[in-house]
Amino acid sequence: MSGIGGKVVAITGAGSGIGEATALLLAERGAKVVLGARRPERLEALAARIETAGGDAAWARTDVTRREDLSGLVKLARDRYGKLDVLVSNAGIGLISRLDDLRVEDWEEMIDVNLKGVLYGLAAALPVFREQGFGHFVNTVSTAGLRIVPLQSVYAGTKNAVRTISEGLRQEAGDSLRVTVVSPGAVRTDFAERMDPAVKDRIDKMMEIALSPDAVARAIAFAIEQPDGVDVGDIVVRATAQG
């Protein structure tokens, strides 16, 4: 079996940005998408858009800091479609700041969303994948973890933790599960909305050269569409103008 048609793909952070673009692209290519995000009105509208275009979508309000929400998203996939082929752990936040600012609550929130949210997804999906004998984890990380710069140390730390866990999972997975990490560079999303205004101004300037979320969605689709037995482990996708 290869390609995307007929696969059941659950996506966290599906309400906007990369998650939304990924859901639209995969649904267009024949996947049944199971959408998770914190804003139900976004999910309802996205599911309606997919279904109007002839696709198939289900959704559930999903806060990745709540383990039961990830379990519920996986259960929805199985109840509705009988299986889960792929879990795209895409939800993430980037509350970047100087360490001297001691924004400890922001650090904790990034750990809860960016790291623990992925682990909760792994805990929900891994037993299902083992039972089925197939499955694919796709984890969105960041080029921030490849080139460490000021202001992003905690954010990059959470993303590199996911990178490390993903590699360990790949080595433990055996020959029936696949694990992919996708590292986007700057992407035109609402990523900077909750940042300190001075930091947000710097990030907004980067948006002039940033990728469309569609570019990252295509990278995710590339990993998913490979034939069984082909594991695309690591994809870096960034604008050619990004240093």
Side-chain angles (χ1 to χ4, degrees), residues 4 25-26 29 217-226 232 235:
I4 291 171
L25 179 62
L26 296 181
R29 296 189 183 181
R218 289 192 296 271
I220 292 171
F222 172 77
I224 293 172
E225 71 187 0
Q226 298 306 307
V232 177
I235 302 176

Side-chain angles (χ1 to χ4, degrees), residues 103-167:
R103 296 177 65 162
V104 177
E105 292 81 6
D106 289 353
W107 303 347
E108 291 173 337
E109 189 174 354
M110 284 189 285
I111 291 168
D112 287 344
V113 174
N114 298 352
L115 176 55
K116 291 171 68 176
V118 173
L119 287 171
Y120 289 158
L122 189 157
L126 185 56
V128 172
F129 288 170
R130 292 298 192 197
E131 179 186 333
Q132 294 175 161
F134 60 87
H136 189 176
F137 290 99
V138 179
N139 297 329
T140 304
V141 287
S142 174
T143 57
L146 301 176
R147 179 172 178 265
I148 310 304
V149 297
L151 307 180
Q152 297 187 21
S153 51
V154 178
Y155 171 70
T158 62
K159 292 299 188 176
N160 273 344
V162 172
R163 192 186 308 278
T164 299
I165 291 163
S166 299
E167 173 59 16

Side-chain angles (χ1 to χ4, degrees), residues 52-85:
T52 298
D56 199 339
W59 63 272
R61 184 187 185 279
T62 305
D63 180 345
V64 299
T65 68
R66 294 166 49 89
R67 183 177 177 185
E68 58 268 31
D69 283 12
L70 271 302
S71 297
L73 191 68
V74 170
K75 184 176 186 299
L76 173 61
R78 297 190 85 192
D79 288 350
R80 180 72 62 91
Y81 301 116
K83 63 174 182 172
L84 176 65
D85 292 282

